[in-house]
Amino acid sequence: MYRVLLVDDELEIRSGLKLKIDWSSHQFMIAGEAQDGREALALLEKDPYDLILTDIRMPIMSGLELLKQCAENYPRTKVIVLSGHDDFHYVKAAMQCGARDYLLKPVVRSELSNILGKLREELDLEKQVVSEKQAMQHQLQKSYSMQREQHLLEWISNDDDDRALTLRSEVERLGLGEWLNDNARLQFISVEFRIPEGRLGDQPEGNGLFRLAFQLVCRETAQDPVWDDSVFAFYHRSYPHMMHFLVSSASEREGEIRKDSLCTQIQSHIQRYLKVETVIGVGTPFHGSGSIRNGFLTALLAWSQSQSGVKSQIVSPDPSHDAIAELFPEVEKRLSIALENGDLGSFASTIEAVVQTGNYPVQGVASFIVRVMLLLDQTASKHRLDIPETQHWLFPDPMWQHRSAASALSHLTGIAAQVIEGIKKSRVSGGVEAVEAIRRYIEVSFMNELSLTMLADRFHINPTYLSELFKKQTGTTFSDYLTQVRIGRAADLLGDPNMRLSDIAELVGFANASYLSSVFKKQYGVSPNEYRNHPGSPPT
């Protein structure tokens, strides 16, 4: 129902208008009455109205003055003026002030019905336009958030210095400049839910709907205004039962207070809304984007030291148990190269050099095992390999049982052998899965700077071979496919008349609006503006 405000200094006129027609049959309701313009403005300040029927000549504040105030402060409100036969010069002034239409007194039922019918159509259309605009803005905000989340995941998984330069160029565009600068104090927090027995009845533990609810509560917790945009929540698909938080602070003291408050609020919200327990791993604070990968790893390592069982816990890393931390980045590179090259001997000798010659404590060896298991898990996921053993790090207790160097070496090389064999088979299979993985990556990362060489490096495929393989599998070249994805998204965004072409170009990954226009017209035969003005004729 659309809300109507009747404004007339004569009670009989207002009463007559209310009884003149069945307002509800026209989707209108009389929501307020006033005897002059000043009373009407007071009502407008309290509640919104879609339509005002007002007399022109009234004491204290006339209908003309009310019109001027509405045009300035309530432009979306429609106004119909009521006038006597000798007030036509006032009607003309009222129309110039923004009145939608006028009715002569005494009001004729059919004329009032006709005007209401027209106004309802206008209001319905405006409501639809507003709804579509809000939906588009919501989608854009969601897309923007996804881009930021994807960018952060890129930093976490990146082990290539050249790729880091590309990622750094995207920081400002995504509003992450204050987060990923070398002066910011950052800290990761990883949160796992653990479900008490019987909590979900017959439903499988950690089912999809429950995970979505868990993710939603975590994201809403991070968006609490109390954090002042200093907390960012994200999901990593390799860890389905977990959510992760990146916390920014200006000082050590502020960081500690914020971290403690956030952990308390997370556990409180999850318990209140989902009735499950949470295990929180608190990472080691760090500075700068170059330490993101290791910072994320320290949160997972802290979590991995949690006690088993359905019991809420907050676990912080103990530096004395992780003497290998500073050594690991270089070791990780050597292990990763060995896996990709299928060199199990090099993989084993690298691990042996660490665990047998370092004289590390038992806890240090266990921590190293978890780090290597994470690397094996990430490598298997990258190549879309189904190797259950790489997921063993998700169960903390077994990982801490390898207290000797020989036990650790045997355990890790055994799993590495499976990963290497899986990589070899996937490469021999013709690369179908690799191309599908690259296509999925393009679908979610099209707005970033992408190149065939970068993707070849990311998915560990020779660039020339990938170019041939991609065209064979998709029927088009990599660059043409990327352009099609970007142009398709641009066409969607052109549905919002309020979005500038330069903004659309930036959102979909084009250097500028001019280049977008050129590619768009070449692809579809019409310019972006022509397409926007004729939405009924979508590009083919």
Side-chain angles (χ1 to χ4, degrees):
M1 290 285 184
Y2 294 112
R3 294 166 53 83
V4 181
L5 174 60
L6 299 181
V7 187
D8 198 297
D9 57 327
E10 297 184 37
L11 177 61
E12 303 91 281
I13 298 294
R14 301 199 305 270
S15 299
L17 285 171
K18 287 192 290 185
L19 299 173
K20 182 69 67 174
I21 60 170
D22 180 6
W23 289 85
S24 62
S25 66
H26 294 277
Q27 298 301 308
F28 288 92
M29 59 177 289
I30 306 299
E33 297 182 46
Q35 60 183 358
D36 57 61
R38 188 168 64 184
E39 283 190 8
L41 287 176
L43 291 174
L44 285 166
E45 288 178 2
K46 294 180 180 179
D47 298 295
Y49 290 86
D50 302 293
L51 173 63
I52 299 175
L53 267 69
T54 180
D55 192 11
I56 291 182
R57 292 199 289 183
M58 295 178 294
I60 304 179
M61 180 183 286
S62 69
L64 289 178
E65 181 61 29
L66 175 61
L67 265 169
K68 293 176 182 178
Q69 293 288 335
C70 286
E72 182 177 349
N73 300 307
Y74 308 102
R76 292 186 178 276
T77 302
K78 313 293 183 185
V79 181
I80 303 297
V81 296
L82 306 174
S83 171
H85 287 285
D86 57 346
D87 291 338
F88 196 74
H89 61 287
Y90 286 111
V91 171
K92 183 177 180 181
M95 299 298 285
Q96 292 174 342
C97 290
R100 180 62 185 81
D101 214 327
Y102 71 93
L103 288 167
L104 294 177
K105 295 179 180 179
V107 175
V108 178
R109 180 181 291 109
S110 60
E111 293 178 355
L112 177 59
S113 295
N114 288 337
I115 286 180
L116 291 179
K118 294 177 182 178
L119 288 176
R120 189 184 70 181
E121 291 180 0
E122 290 184 17
L123 289 167
D124 285 346
L125 181 59
E126 290 178 3
K127 185 177 180 181
Q128 179 181 351
V129 170
V130 169
S131 177
E132 291 175 351
K133 182 177 179 181
Q134 290 175 340
M136 179 63 73
Q137 290 174 338
H138 174 73
Q139 187 62 32
L140 284 174
Q141 183 61 39
K142 183 178 179 182
S143 175
Y144 183 68
S145 297
M146 290 177 62
Q147 289 181 44
R148 297 181 71 185
E149 190 165 326
Q150 180 64 30
H151 190 77
L152 184 57
L153 292 173
E154 286 277 343
W155 274 108
I156 289 171
S157 62
N158 179 61
D159 58 359
D160 184 349
D161 293 337
D162 293 335
R163 177 60 180 152
L165 295 175
T166 302
L167 291 172
R168 202 179 301 278
S169 68
E170 294 288 310
V171 165
E172 293 298 334
R173 183 180 74 82
L174 295 173
L176 294 171
E178 294 185 4
W179 289 78
L180 303 182
N181 68 74
D182 293 336
N183 296 320
R185 181 187 187 275
L186 303 174
Q187 188 170 25
F188 281 102
I189 293 175
S190 295
V191 183
E192 176 210 15
F193 66 83
R194 292 186 183 176
I195 304 175
E197 185 176 356
R199 166 65 180 86
L200 299 182
D202 295 332
Q203 297 294 320
E205 181 174 318
N207 65 71
L209 288 178
F210 188 86
R211 288 201 302 269
L212 287 175
F214 171 70
Q215 293 169 23
L216 179 61
V217 173
C218 288
R219 293 184 194 281
E220 290 185 348
T221 300
Q223 292 168 4
D224 190 323
V226 71
W227 308 124
D228 194 25
D229 198 32
S230 62
V231 176
F232 185 72
F234 64 97
Y235 172 74
H236 197 305
R237 64 181 182 180
S238 295
Y239 320 118
H241 291 72
M242 303 179 78
M243 278 290 288
H244 310 276
F245 296 79
L246 179 59
V247 183
S248 173
S249 56
S251 66
E252 181 177 354
R253 182 175 182 275
E254 181 184 76
E256 287 299 308
I257 294 174
R258 188 165 290 163
K259 176 258 296 181
D260 291 342
S261 299
L262 178 61
C263 289
T264 299
Q265 191 173 119
I266 290 170
Q267 290 194 326
S268 174
H269 287 179
I270 297 299
Q271 177 59 236
R272 182 192 310 168
Y273 299 119
L274 301 180
K275 302 295 188 296
V276 298
E277 304 300 317
T278 48
V279 177
I280 298 178
V282 179
T284 302
F286 62 95
H287 291 80
S289 56
S291 302
I292 282 183
R293 181 178 173 85
N294 193 60
F296 179 68
L297 189 58
T298 63
L300 291 175
L301 286 169
W303 167 85
S304 73
Q305 298 174 29
S306 64
Q307 299 176 7
S308 60
V310 183
K311 174 185 177 183
S312 288
Q313 306 161 57
I314 299 177
V315 187
S316 297
D318 186 343
S320 65
H321 291 168
D322 197 13
I324 301 178
E326 295 182 2
L327 174 66
F328 192 73
E330 183 60 34
V331 172
E332 182 184 38
K333 286 185 179 180
R334 295 203 298 267
L335 293 176
S336 181
I337 292 173
L339 290 172
E340 297 296 342
N341 290 340
D343 190 347
L344 185 60
S346 176
F347 181 92
S349 63
T350 300
I351 291 179
E352 186 175 11
V354 173
V355 299
Q356 290 190 340
T357 64
N359 194 29
Y360 297 109
V362 170
Q363 295 286 6
V365 173
S367 174
F368 176 71
I369 294 174
V370 175
R371 289 177 180 270
V372 177
M373 288 298 297
L374 277 166
L375 174 63
L376 290 167
D377 185 28
Q378 292 169 354
T379 304
S381 296
K382 180 167 58 180
H383 290 278
R384 303 182 63 81
L385 304 177
D386 183 17
I387 302 177
E389 287 80 359
T390 64
Q391 295 283 306
H392 283 178
W393 74 270
L394 290 168
F395 309 97
D397 285 355
M399 287 297 94
W400 296 94
Q401 294 174 1
H402 296 280
R403 298 179 177 271
S404 69
S407 174
L409 180 62
S410 174
H411 181 75
L412 294 175
T413 53
I415 297 175
Q418 296 182 60
V419 172
I420 289 173
E421 184 64 24
I423 292 174
K424 290 179 179 179
K425 288 182 178 179
S426 68
R427 287 173 176 169
V428 173
S429 68
V432 175
E433 292 185 357
V435 171
E436 285 304 310
I438 290 173
R439 288 178 63 174
R440 286 192 294 272
Y441 184 82
I442 292 172
E443 293 290 338
V444 299
S445 305
F446 61 86
M447 70 295 297
N448 299 323
E449 181 179 339
L450 298 179
S451 69
L452 184 68
T453 302
M454 183 272 285
L455 290 178
D457 181 65
R458 178 179 179 80
F459 288 88
H460 303 280
I461 302 175
N462 179 276
T464 302
Y465 175 62
L466 175 59
S467 177
E468 297 173 354
L469 189 63
F470 194 92
K471 187 170 184 179
K472 178 181 178 181
Q473 296 292 339
T474 65
T476 186
T477 65
F478 163 78
S479 59
D480 285 346
Y481 184 83
L482 177 60
T483 298
Q484 290 170 11
V485 172
R486 287 173 169 170
I487 288 296
R489 183 57 179 148
D492 293 338
L493 296 178
L494 284 169
D496 183 352
N498 296 313
M499 284 202 68
R500 298 180 304 175
L501 195 59
S502 58
D503 293 334
I504 294 176
E506 184 176 1
L507 282 172
V508 301
F510 284 99
N512 51 59
S514 176
Y515 183 48
L516 168 60
S517 297
S518 174
V519 176
F520 195 98
K521 188 166 186 177
K522 181 179 179 181
Q523 189 82 6
Y524 298 131
V526 295
S527 70
N529 286 331
E530 289 173 331
Y531 173 68
R532 170 175 272 168
N533 294 330
H534 299 85
S537 302
T540 58

